[in-house]
mmCIF file of all heavy atoms in Angstrom:
data_model
loop_
_atom_site.group_PDB
_atom_site.id
_atom_site.type_symbol
_atom_site.label_atom_id
_atom_site.label_comp_id
_atom_site.label_asym_id
_atom_site.label_seq_id
_atom_site.Cartn_x
_atom_site.Cartn_y
_atom_site.Cartn_z
ATOM 1 N N TYR A 109 286.661 142.803 52.718
ATOM 2 C CA TYR A 109 286.142 143.605 53.835
ATOM 3 C C TYR A 109 285.743 145.013 53.403
ATOM 4 O O TYR A 109 284.820 145.612 53.991
ATOM 5 C CB TYR A 109 287.130 143.603 55.011
ATOM 6 C CG TYR A 109 286.833 142.463 55.952
ATOM 7 C CD1 TYR A 109 287.388 141.216 55.746
ATOM 8 C CD2 TYR A 109 285.928 142.619 56.998
ATOM 9 C CE1 TYR A 109 287.083 140.144 56.577
ATOM 10 C CE2 TYR A 109 285.608 141.571 57.834
ATOM 11 C CZ TYR A 109 286.183 140.333 57.623
ATOM 12 O OH TYR A 109 285.850 139.291 58.439
ATOM 13 N N VAL A 127 280.982 137.629 62.621
ATOM 14 C CA VAL A 127 281.572 137.286 61.327
ATOM 15 C C VAL A 127 282.295 135.943 61.428
ATOM 16 O O VAL A 127 282.960 135.674 62.426
ATOM 17 C CB VAL A 127 282.610 138.337 60.866
ATOM 18 C CG1 VAL A 127 283.039 138.068 59.425
ATOM 19 C CG2 VAL A 127 282.081 139.742 60.998
ATOM 20 N N ASN A 129 285.151 133.652 59.222
ATOM 21 C CA ASN A 129 286.137 133.738 58.145
ATOM 22 C C ASN A 129 286.736 132.364 57.934
ATOM 23 O O ASN A 129 287.285 131.776 58.883
ATOM 24 C CB ASN A 129 287.276 134.681 58.552
ATOM 25 C CG ASN A 129 286.788 136.065 58.934
ATOM 26 O OD1 ASN A 129 286.575 136.902 58.080
ATOM 27 N ND2 ASN A 129 286.610 136.299 60.233
ATOM 28 N N TYR A 144 297.506 133.659 58.069
ATOM 29 C CA TYR A 144 296.560 134.264 59.018
ATOM 30 C C TYR A 144 296.962 135.701 59.352
ATOM 31 O O TYR A 144 296.111 136.595 59.430
ATOM 32 C CB TYR A 144 296.456 133.428 60.300
ATOM 33 C CG TYR A 144 295.615 134.110 61.363
ATOM 34 C CD1 TYR A 144 294.266 134.364 61.151
ATOM 35 C CD2 TYR A 144 296.190 134.523 62.565
ATOM 36 C CE1 TYR A 144 293.500 135.005 62.107
ATOM 37 C CE2 TYR A 144 295.417 135.166 63.534
ATOM 38 C CZ TYR A 144 294.079 135.403 63.296
ATOM 39 O OH TYR A 144 293.320 136.044 64.241
ATOM 40 N N PHE A 147 296.112 137.813 56.457
ATOM 41 C CA PHE A 147 294.654 137.982 56.451
ATOM 42 C C PHE A 147 294.248 139.106 57.419
ATOM 43 O O PHE A 147 293.409 139.955 57.092
ATOM 44 C CB PHE A 147 293.974 136.657 56.838
ATOM 45 C CG PHE A 147 292.561 136.822 57.293
ATOM 46 C CD1 PHE A 147 291.532 137.003 56.374
ATOM 47 C CD2 PHE A 147 292.248 136.852 58.659
ATOM 48 C CE1 PHE A 147 290.224 137.205 56.806
ATOM 49 C CE2 PHE A 147 290.946 137.051 59.090
ATOM 50 C CZ PHE A 147 289.933 137.223 58.159
ATOM 51 N N CYS A 148 294.850 139.123 58.611
ATOM 52 C CA CYS A 148 294.526 140.155 59.614
ATOM 53 C C CYS A 148 294.877 141.556 59.094
ATOM 54 O O CYS A 148 294.126 142.513 59.343
ATOM 55 C CB CYS A 148 295.279 139.890 60.918
ATOM 56 S SG CYS A 148 294.616 138.493 61.861
ATOM 57 N N ARG A 151 292.211 142.402 56.413
ATOM 58 C CA ARG A 151 290.907 142.641 57.048
ATOM 59 C C ARG A 151 290.847 144.027 57.677
ATOM 60 O O ARG A 151 289.875 144.771 57.479
ATOM 61 C CB ARG A 151 290.651 141.568 58.112
ATOM 62 C CG ARG A 151 289.446 141.874 58.997
ATOM 63 C CD ARG A 151 289.079 140.726 59.912
ATOM 64 N NE ARG A 151 290.148 140.296 60.808
ATOM 65 C CZ ARG A 151 290.039 139.300 61.692
ATOM 66 N NH1 ARG A 151 288.909 138.613 61.777
ATOM 67 N NH2 ARG A 151 291.053 138.972 62.473
ATOM 68 N N ALA A 165 282.037 140.154 67.124
ATOM 69 C CA ALA A 165 282.498 138.816 67.486
ATOM 70 C C ALA A 165 282.858 138.083 66.194
ATOM 71 O O ALA A 165 282.290 138.372 65.138
ATOM 72 C CB ALA A 165 281.401 138.072 68.240
ATOM 73 N N ALA A 166 283.823 137.156 66.264
ATOM 74 C CA ALA A 166 284.265 136.508 65.021
ATOM 75 C C ALA A 166 284.872 135.135 65.260
ATOM 76 O O ALA A 166 285.190 134.757 66.396
ATOM 77 C CB ALA A 166 285.284 137.385 64.298
ATOM 78 N N THR A 167 285.000 134.424 64.143
ATOM 79 C CA THR A 167 285.777 133.188 64.068
ATOM 80 C C THR A 167 286.639 133.290 62.825
ATOM 81 O O THR A 167 286.158 133.768 61.790
ATOM 82 C CB THR A 167 284.839 131.964 63.915
ATOM 83 O OG1 THR A 167 284.018 131.886 65.072
ATOM 84 C CG2 THR A 167 285.624 130.674 63.763
ATOM 85 N N ALA A 168 287.924 132.900 62.925
ATOM 86 C CA ALA A 168 288.763 132.756 61.726
ATOM 87 C C ALA A 168 289.363 131.358 61.801
ATOM 88 O O ALA A 168 290.091 131.035 62.730
ATOM 89 C CB ALA A 168 289.854 133.815 61.677
ATOM 90 N N ILE A 169 289.016 130.520 60.831
ATOM 91 C CA ILE A 169 289.364 129.101 60.916
ATOM 92 C C ILE A 169 289.884 128.612 59.568
ATOM 93 O O ILE A 169 289.462 129.098 58.521
ATOM 94 C CB ILE A 169 288.105 128.306 61.376
ATOM 95 C CG1 ILE A 169 287.970 128.331 62.901
ATOM 96 C CG2 ILE A 169 288.123 126.883 60.883
ATOM 97 C CD1 ILE A 169 288.962 127.453 63.669
ATOM 98 N N GLN A 197 291.459 136.847 79.211
ATOM 99 C CA GLN A 197 292.216 136.967 77.962
ATOM 100 C C GLN A 197 292.430 138.439 77.629
ATOM 101 O O GLN A 197 291.523 139.252 77.819
ATOM 102 C CB GLN A 197 291.441 136.311 76.806
ATOM 103 C CG GLN A 197 291.130 134.844 77.018
ATOM 104 C CD GLN A 197 290.472 134.238 75.791
ATOM 105 O OE1 GLN A 197 289.371 134.605 75.418
ATOM 106 N NE2 GLN A 197 291.161 133.303 75.153
ATOM 107 N N ALA A 200 291.885 140.612 71.824
ATOM 108 C CA ALA A 200 292.666 140.214 70.641
ATOM 109 C C ALA A 200 293.191 141.445 69.899
ATOM 110 O O ALA A 200 294.306 141.422 69.369
ATOM 111 C CB ALA A 200 291.812 139.341 69.725
ATOM 112 N N TYR A 203 296.608 142.297 71.152
ATOM 113 C CA TYR A 203 297.680 141.304 71.197
ATOM 114 C C TYR A 203 299.016 141.986 70.913
ATOM 115 O O TYR A 203 299.101 142.861 70.044
ATOM 116 C CB TYR A 203 297.470 140.229 70.125
ATOM 117 C CG TYR A 203 296.507 139.111 70.477
ATOM 118 C CD1 TYR A 203 296.074 138.239 69.475
ATOM 119 C CD2 TYR A 203 296.040 138.899 71.763
ATOM 120 C CE1 TYR A 203 295.201 137.194 69.740
ATOM 121 C CE2 TYR A 203 295.161 137.851 72.041
ATOM 122 C CZ TYR A 203 294.746 137.005 71.030
ATOM 123 O OH TYR A 203 293.872 135.978 71.294
ATOM 124 N N PRO A 212 294.334 140.998 65.556
ATOM 125 C CA PRO A 212 293.076 140.580 64.932
ATOM 126 C C PRO A 212 291.898 141.475 65.326
ATOM 127 O O PRO A 212 291.789 141.919 66.467
ATOM 128 C CB PRO A 212 292.857 139.154 65.447
ATOM 129 C CG PRO A 212 294.006 138.800 66.305
ATOM 130 C CD PRO A 212 294.890 139.975 66.461
ATOM 131 N N SER A 213 291.019 141.706 64.351
ATOM 132 C CA SER A 213 289.897 142.641 64.524
ATOM 133 C C SER A 213 288.652 141.904 64.996
ATOM 134 O O SER A 213 287.750 141.633 64.209
ATOM 135 C CB SER A 213 289.611 143.343 63.193
ATOM 136 O OG SER A 213 290.781 143.874 62.614
ATOM 137 N N PHE A 214 288.592 141.567 66.281
ATOM 138 C CA PHE A 214 287.350 140.967 66.793
ATOM 139 C C PHE A 214 287.216 141.166 68.289
ATOM 140 O O PHE A 214 288.204 141.379 68.987
ATOM 141 C CB PHE A 214 287.238 139.483 66.430
ATOM 142 C CG PHE A 214 288.179 138.554 67.171
ATOM 143 C CD1 PHE A 214 287.747 137.846 68.289
ATOM 144 C CD2 PHE A 214 289.480 138.366 66.742
ATOM 145 C CE1 PHE A 214 288.597 136.967 68.969
ATOM 146 C CE2 PHE A 214 290.347 137.499 67.415
ATOM 147 C CZ PHE A 214 289.909 136.802 68.526
ATOM 148 N N ALA A 215 285.979 141.071 68.756
ATOM 149 C CA ALA A 215 285.653 141.078 70.187
ATOM 150 C C ALA A 215 285.402 139.643 70.630
ATOM 151 O O ALA A 215 285.099 138.783 69.809
ATOM 152 C CB ALA A 215 284.404 141.925 70.431
ATOM 153 N N ARG A 216 285.510 139.359 71.920
ATOM 154 C CA ARG A 216 285.360 137.975 72.404
ATOM 155 C C ARG A 216 283.915 137.480 72.320
ATOM 156 O O ARG A 216 283.662 136.273 72.267
ATOM 157 C CB ARG A 216 285.840 137.880 73.847
ATOM 158 C CG ARG A 216 287.314 138.162 74.021
ATOM 159 C CD ARG A 216 288.189 137.137 73.339
ATOM 160 N NE ARG A 216 289.612 137.466 73.465
ATOM 161 C CZ ARG A 216 290.574 136.798 72.844
ATOM 162 N NH1 ARG A 216 290.283 135.779 72.044
ATOM 163 N NH2 ARG A 216 291.828 137.153 72.992
ATOM 164 N N SER A 231 282.539 134.326 70.172
ATOM 165 C CA SER A 231 283.617 134.215 69.191
ATOM 166 C C SER A 231 284.347 132.891 69.344
ATOM 167 O O SER A 231 284.230 132.211 70.367
ATOM 168 C CB SER A 231 284.628 135.349 69.396
ATOM 169 O OG SER A 231 284.086 136.567 68.984
ATOM 170 N N GLY A 232 285.131 132.553 68.333
ATOM 171 C CA GLY A 232 286.030 131.409 68.433
ATOM 172 C C GLY A 232 286.899 131.570 69.667
ATOM 173 O O GLY A 232 287.505 132.623 69.861
ATOM 174 N N THR A 233 286.927 130.531 70.500
ATOM 175 C CA THR A 233 287.622 130.596 71.784
ATOM 176 C C THR A 233 288.491 129.361 71.925
ATOM 177 O O THR A 233 288.042 128.245 71.644
ATOM 178 C CB THR A 233 286.582 130.691 72.924
ATOM 179 O OG1 THR A 233 285.805 131.880 72.715
ATOM 180 C CG2 THR A 233 287.241 130.760 74.292
ATOM 181 N N ALA A 234 289.735 129.576 72.345
ATOM 182 C CA ALA A 234 290.682 128.467 72.442
ATOM 183 C C ALA A 234 291.424 128.558 73.762
ATOM 184 O O ALA A 234 291.061 129.343 74.644
ATOM 185 C CB ALA A 234 291.641 128.512 71.244
ATOM 186 N N ILE A 236 293.774 130.018 75.129
ATOM 187 C CA ILE A 236 294.648 131.185 75.250
ATOM 188 C C ILE A 236 294.315 131.872 76.571
ATOM 189 O O ILE A 236 293.154 132.210 76.817
ATOM 190 C CB ILE A 236 294.451 132.147 74.066
ATOM 191 C CG1 ILE A 236 294.883 131.484 72.753
ATOM 192 C CG2 ILE A 236 295.225 133.453 74.292
ATOM 193 C CD1 ILE A 236 294.604 132.291 71.500
ATOM 194 N N VAL A 316 293.040 125.628 63.540
ATOM 195 C CA VAL A 316 292.979 126.848 64.328
ATOM 196 C C VAL A 316 294.152 127.746 63.885
ATOM 197 O O VAL A 316 295.152 127.265 63.350
ATOM 198 C CB VAL A 316 293.024 126.509 65.840
ATOM 199 C CG1 VAL A 316 292.858 127.752 66.699
ATOM 200 C CG2 VAL A 316 291.948 125.493 66.171
ATOM 201 N N CYS A 317 294.016 129.062 64.126
ATOM 202 C CA CYS A 317 294.950 130.007 63.517
ATOM 203 C C CYS A 317 296.288 130.160 64.250
ATOM 204 O O CYS A 317 297.099 131.001 63.873
ATOM 205 C CB CYS A 317 294.279 131.346 63.308
ATOM 206 S SG CYS A 317 293.840 132.108 64.858
ATOM 207 N N ARG A 318 296.518 129.383 65.301
ATOM 208 C CA ARG A 318 297.879 129.241 65.829
ATOM 209 C C ARG A 318 298.205 127.754 65.756
ATOM 210 O O ARG A 318 297.390 126.921 66.169
ATOM 211 C CB ARG A 318 297.987 129.704 67.281
ATOM 212 C CG ARG A 318 297.811 131.205 67.486
ATOM 213 C CD ARG A 318 298.076 131.540 68.948
ATOM 214 N NE ARG A 318 297.741 132.924 69.270
ATOM 215 C CZ ARG A 318 297.843 133.444 70.488
ATOM 216 N NH1 ARG A 318 298.274 132.676 71.494
ATOM 217 N NH2 ARG A 318 297.538 134.694 70.715
ATOM 218 N N LEU A 321 297.505 125.360 68.646
ATOM 219 C CA LEU A 321 296.141 125.216 69.169
ATOM 220 C C LEU A 321 295.439 124.067 68.457
ATOM 221 O O LEU A 321 295.337 124.041 67.233
ATOM 222 C CB LEU A 321 295.365 126.521 69.015
ATOM 223 C CG LEU A 321 295.870 127.670 69.909
ATOM 224 C CD1 LEU A 321 295.127 128.967 69.590
ATOM 225 C CD2 LEU A 321 295.728 127.331 71.393
ATOM 226 N N GLU A 324 289.181 124.665 69.031
ATOM 227 C CA GLU A 324 288.565 125.979 69.246
ATOM 228 C C GLU A 324 287.050 125.774 69.207
ATOM 229 O O GLU A 324 286.567 124.885 68.519
ATOM 230 C CB GLU A 324 289.012 126.945 68.133
ATOM 231 C CG GLU A 324 288.445 128.353 68.272
ATOM 232 C CD GLU A 324 289.050 129.327 67.245
ATOM 233 O OE1 GLU A 324 290.286 129.455 67.199
ATOM 234 O OE2 GLU A 324 288.275 129.924 66.482
HETATM 235 C C1 3EB B 1 292.287 133.745 69.498
HETATM 236 O O1 3EB B 1 291.638 133.807 70.529
HETATM 237 C C2 3EB B 1 292.055 132.515 68.648
HETATM 238 O O2 3EB B 1 290.906 136.510 63.757
HETATM 239 O O3 3EB B 1 288.734 136.651 63.704
HETATM 240 C C3 3EB B 1 289.468 133.437 67.426
HETATM 241 C C4 3EB B 1 288.360 134.146 66.985
HETATM 242 C C5 3EB B 1 290.683 133.605 66.796
HETATM 243 C C6 3EB B 1 288.466 135.046 65.906
HETATM 244 C C7 3EB B 1 289.787 136.190 64.174
HETATM 245 C C8 3EB B 1 290.782 134.495 65.718
HETATM 246 C C9 3EB B 1 289.681 135.214 65.287
HETATM 247 O O4 3EB B 1 293.117 134.599 69.168
HETATM 248 C C10 3EB B 1 291.873 132.831 67.216
#
Side-chain angles (χ1 to χ4, degrees):
Y109 270 88
V127 189
N129 304 277
Y144 173 63
F147 161 79
C148 287
R151 170 172 58 180
T167 298
I169 276 286
Q197 302 185 295
Y203 278 168
S213 310
F214 71 98
R216 296 295 177 187
S231 288
T233 300
I236 295 174
V316 184
C317 65
R318 292 185 188 178
L321 292 174
E324 181 173 304

